[in-house]
Amino acid sequence: MYYKGKMAKKKEGIKRDINVLKGLLKTLNDKQKAYVNLNLPSQKNGEYLLTVSHLVPCGDLNILQAAAEVAAESSTGTNFKVKTETPFSRKLNAIVYKIDLEKNLVWIAYPWRIFDRGGNVQNILTFIVGNVLGMKEVSALKMLDVWFPSSMLEQYDGPSYTLDDMRKYLNVYGRPILGTIIKPKIGLTAAEYAEVCYDFWSGGGDFVKNDEPQADQDFCEYEKMVKFVKEAMNKAVKETGHKKVHSFNVSASDFDEMIRRCELVENAGFEPGSYAFLIDGITAGWMAVQTLRRRYPNVFLHFHRASHGAYTRPENPIGFSVLVLSKFARLAGASGIHTGTAGVGKMKGSPKEDITAAKNILHLVSKGHFFEQNWAQVPEDDKQIIELVKEDYAHYVILEDDSWRGMKKCCPIISGGLNPTKLKPFIDIMGEVDFITTMGAGCHAHPQGTNAGAKALVQSIEAYKKGIEIKEYAKTHKELAESIKFFTKNKKDLQQVESLERS
Ligand code: CAP
Ligand code: MG
């Protein structure tokens, strides 16, 4: 009886919505009508990039009118219907094709032919999250998900050098790549900086990154930093017998300077695979990201997302989600992008947002907030390859042999307020270990310093792999014991770690 009542209620709701939508359609002016089709056939026929956004209209516009204005302004239109339109230009209109009146969600289809040829990501974002974020007609407009048809994917670079290549170089499998960010964020001399790198690497760490603002400051000249890091790396590799990686921040004032810094690293005698290029993808821009991807396809391209909060913070009504940012980073060819710690670390985030983003850039097929994105077009009837994809979970094989079929993985980089006590809680939320984690304070704030901080990090992942609680493992591993004591000394942290462990 209850179920019948529920179904009847649902049907009533749908009927009501249809009537409301019919009413809203009547309110559209001539211009707006050209950007709405609630019966758009086959949105997934390969012609359209699809988006879903949360939209709250402003002023006296209703949601459908505001959505039509957004579709116009983000494709062919402006605030009035212009006499210069042509039948062909109208074919390029973005189309509002679905609305959820209860949740204020709008679905917009973009004929992807409007985007700049040659795989230009900057151009797409200028269209779909450009002027529209400043429009008077909306008080909230946040793009939550985006979907790329396979026919479009083939026009974009996607990642070249991936986490799989880094794993092969480091010979590290079955666990996250263990990294750090050198702290203090800025202020060490080149020699002091390299010293901290050595301390981390000799403590067992794999990966060191420049912090996002590190550049060519007078007290830490770029050339010297590169030279000393090389010496520190050689020493650590020799002593530990393990390969190491350093991610150099090549963000700069202009293109030539960025390339000069890349060439400095390339010509400093580093082994291929032992260095990555870090780019502040939002403040340096998408052109810088794609330039590096195209000029240095054999180098891990590390997308740091400093400033992303202006668009992605959950409380921001205007912008786009971490998922949207991360999917565009993969499309542009980043080897890895920071996707957040799902609220475990110091930055705002949630499993729903950060883990969804991490999974969407890591896998060949992944569910977003609204779309299931297939980053490869594996023919439905190609049973053999589908089986192989399922079996080859980390798809080492598929994309090497069949890279024409798929856009390679982009690695989640998990960082921001983490320390060894938070690694397992994060892995439990993530559900897998195929990512890079970088801990700054989580390593360099260790009471015994960086080398002990690195050892504590290594010990925490050893404990994880052995299925031993870190407190138990700490009984025989003093660096880990000191790390736990230090990082859980205040109640709040202790409670957070314990509640995460229980969850
Ligand atoms: C982390 C970090 C990273 C953040 C960026 C920082 O340092 O170096 O830039 O991870 O955030 O400067 O905060 P700590 P996100 O490990 O000392 O926090 O990864 O969320 O983009
Ligand atoms: Mg940083």
Side-chain angles (χ1 to χ4, degrees), residues 181 183 185 209 211-212 304-306 308 338-341 346-347 413-418 438-442:
I181 310 102
K183 301 288 180 179
K185 189 169 278 218
K209 70 179 269 293
D211 221 334
E212 71 279 359
H304 192 289
R305 58 180 188 167
H308 75 95
H338 290 237
T339 48
T341 63
K346 73 185 181 188
M347 303 291 191
I413 300 170
I414 310 301
S415 178
L418 290 181
T438 58
M439 297 182 190

Side-chain angles (χ1 to χ4, degrees), residues 127-339:
F127 269 111
I128 68 175
V129 283
N131 284 359
V132 288
L133 298 189
M135 285 175 79
K136 283 184 188 161
E137 287 83 351
V138 295
S139 58
L141 180 62
K142 190 156 197 181
M143 188 168 288
L144 303 176
D145 203 350
V146 62
W147 179 82
F148 310 111
S150 308
S151 50
M152 177 182 172
L153 282 181
E154 281 156 14
Q155 315 287 324
Y156 290 79
D157 299 311
S160 170
Y161 189 95
T162 70
L163 175 62
D164 296 342
D165 300 304
M166 187 182 285
R167 284 190 178 285
K168 214 179 280 178
Y169 176 74
L170 289 169
N171 191 26
V172 166
Y173 295 95
R175 66 167 173 84
I177 304 288
L178 302 179
T180 190
I181 310 102
I182 301 303
K183 301 288 180 179
K185 189 169 278 218
I186 203 78
L188 297 182
T189 64
E192 290 165 339
Y193 177 92
E195 193 64 38
V196 180
C197 290
Y198 168 75
D199 289 344
F200 179 75
W201 280 323
S202 57
D206 307 307
F207 176 93
V208 175
K209 70 179 269 293
N210 281 151
D211 221 334
E212 71 279 359
Q214 173 118 22
D216 181 25
Q217 284 84 357
D218 69 288
F219 46 78
C220 184
E221 284 173 39
Y222 206 85
E223 288 87 331
K224 276 195 188 143
M225 183 267 294
V226 171
K227 178 173 171 291
F228 290 152
V229 165
K230 177 80 185 59
E231 288 165 14
M233 184 186 280
N234 288 349
K235 192 162 175 266
V237 169
K238 200 155 163 251
E239 287 171 5
T240 62
H242 291 292
K243 304 272 189 186
K244 307 293 178 184
V245 175
H246 187 281
S247 184
F248 290 95
N249 190 346
V250 295
S251 313
S253 51
D254 61 51
F255 171 92
D256 296 329
E257 179 54 23
M258 177 177 82
I259 298 302
R260 188 184 76 86
R261 292 177 187 182
C262 294
E263 290 304 307
L264 263 175
V265 175
E266 289 260 295
N267 301 320
F270 286 94
E271 224 180 20
S274 66
Y275 60 91
F277 290 146
L278 183 148
I279 188 73
D280 295 322
I282 293 183
T283 50
W286 291 87
M287 273 176 71
V289 175
Q290 292 202 260
T291 298
L292 293 170
R293 164 64 183 79
R294 293 178 178 182
R295 282 190 169 236
Y296 302 99
N298 301 320
V299 181
F300 187 93
L301 179 50
H302 180 162
F303 189 126
H304 192 289
R305 58 180 188 167
S307 275
H308 75 95
Y311 298 99
T312 64
R313 280 184 74 115
E315 66 271 34
N316 288 2
I318 307 265
F320 46 78
S321 64
V322 170
L323 174 63
V324 167
L325 170 62
S326 308
K327 285 171 95 166
F328 275 107
R330 182 173 188 176
L331 194 73
S335 307
I337 181 171
H338 290 237
T339 48

Side-chain angles (χ1 to χ4, degrees), residues 26-39:
K26 288 190 189 115
T27 66
L28 298 179
N29 64 33
D30 269 357
K31 187 203 83 173
Q32 291 162 349
K33 277 187 191 131
Y35 293 93
V36 175
N37 179 352
L38 300 179
N39 300 308

Side-chain angles (χ1 to χ4, degrees), residues 105-130:
L105 296 174
V106 294
W107 281 251
I108 300 179
Y110 290 86
W112 63 269
R113 192 174 174 190
I114 63 173
F115 303 136
D116 184 19
R117 284 179 296 179
N120 175 353
V121 169
Q122 161 277 329
N123 181 260
I124 303 175
L125 295 168
T126 301
F127 269 111
I128 68 175
V129 283

